[in-house]
Each structure stands twice: as structure tokens, then as C-alpha cells.
Amino acid sequence: MNRELLEKPFGPEQIKQREGNFGKMLDYISGADVIQRLNDAFDAEWCFRILHHEILKEADEVVVLGELKAFDVVKTQFGASKITRARETGDIISLADDLKSAATDALKKAATQLGIGLQLYYDKRDEGARRTAKRA
């Protein structure tokens, strides 16, 4: 396992933004970038599988529990996605796509437990202090 590569910060060109709850802008990295980092760090010798999924009708979302395995390391994490509906009719557009989105969310969250993308969770004010402490 290459921890240095796992924890390597992503470049600004890889960091995207989306609107989160309460109108707050959130930084994120794509699922493809996470997969590429896993492939590079583990020489493509890792796997991900869905352990459980649910469709929560009252919440209008899907939830999956995913498992990421790389060598003897196993990480599990939940992922979720809102159910996408047609504006005009309210009909579900593609539940399969919603489940795939939730699976990608679970994969990305499990990957953070290996250090991938942790920079996105740090408070911007603390980044300089963390870099200084890491060098010491």
C-alpha cells in the first residue's frame, strides 16, 4: 500500500464544487479520480462491492452500504442519492442510475478512510498548520 500516494492532495483542477445543504458550496472529487487513485496506489488490486441497498420511499432517496477491499484492508461506508424524478410527472427516471450514484458515494467515502481526498474535509484555516505539523 502506498500511503503517500493515497494521502496526496488532489490538484485544484480535480476539485469540483456543488451546492450542498442550506446553500453551502461543497468541494468534491469525481468518482473517476478516486478510482484512478486506488488503481495507482494498489496497482489495480482492489475491489468494491455493495453489501446492502435500500430504497427509502419516505425520504425519496436510495442508500447503499459498500465495502472497499485492498489487500488485507477492508473499509465499509454508506452512500446515498436522491431519487431523480421527472419534473412534469414526478415519475422516477432511472432508479439504477440513482443506485449507481449512491454506490459511487459509498466508494468515495470508504476511500477517505484510506486517506484519499481527506484534504476536502480539513477546515481551510487548519491546512497550513496540518502541513507544518506533518513536516515536523
Side-chain angles (χ1 to χ4, degrees):
M1 176 177 359
N2 186 335
R3 280 193 54 130
E4 186 175 327
L5 181 56
L6 288 169
E7 296 174 2
K8 179 181 174 186
F10 285 89
E13 72 283 357
Q14 294 173 292
I15 299 171
K16 299 169 180 24
Q17 288 193 319
R18 67 173 177 83
E19 190 172 329
N21 293 333
F22 310 110
K24 184 178 178 182
M25 292 306 289
L26 302 174
D27 291 341
Y28 73 97
I29 49 178
S30 73
D33 285 337
V34 170
I35 290 168
Q36 186 62 59
R37 183 66 58 90
L38 287 166
N39 284 341
D40 292 344
F42 296 108
D43 197 27
E45 294 186 37
W46 61 276
C47 65
F48 179 77
R49 68 185 184 128
I50 302 301
L51 301 175
H52 180 76
H53 75 277
E54 282 189 53
I55 300 164
L56 306 175
K57 291 180 182 178
E58 290 178 17
D60 208 31
E61 72 178 349
V62 295
V63 177
V64 301
L65 176 62
E67 176 185 81
L68 172 61
K69 275 189 189 180
F71 302 122
D72 61 343
V73 177
V74 179
K75 303 294 182 184
T76 57
Q77 193 56 262
F78 286 96
S81 180
K82 282 288 187 190
I83 294 174
T84 308
R85 295 183 176 276
R87 286 186 186 184
E88 305 79 36
T89 63
D91 291 342
I92 294 173
I93 293 174
S94 174
L95 201 52
D97 285 341
D98 298 328
L99 286 164
K100 287 188 285 186
S101 292
T104 300
D105 188 41
L107 171 64
K108 289 167 42 172
K109 288 180 180 177
T112 63
Q113 294 176 337
L114 296 172
I116 296 176
L118 277 180
Q119 77 192 83
L120 303 177
Y121 292 91
Y122 296 146
D123 186 326
K124 301 288 184 214
R125 295 167 294 178
D126 295 338
E127 282 184 20
R130 288 184 197 280
R131 270 184 253 146
T132 303
K134 196 171 187 177
R135 281 188 236 132

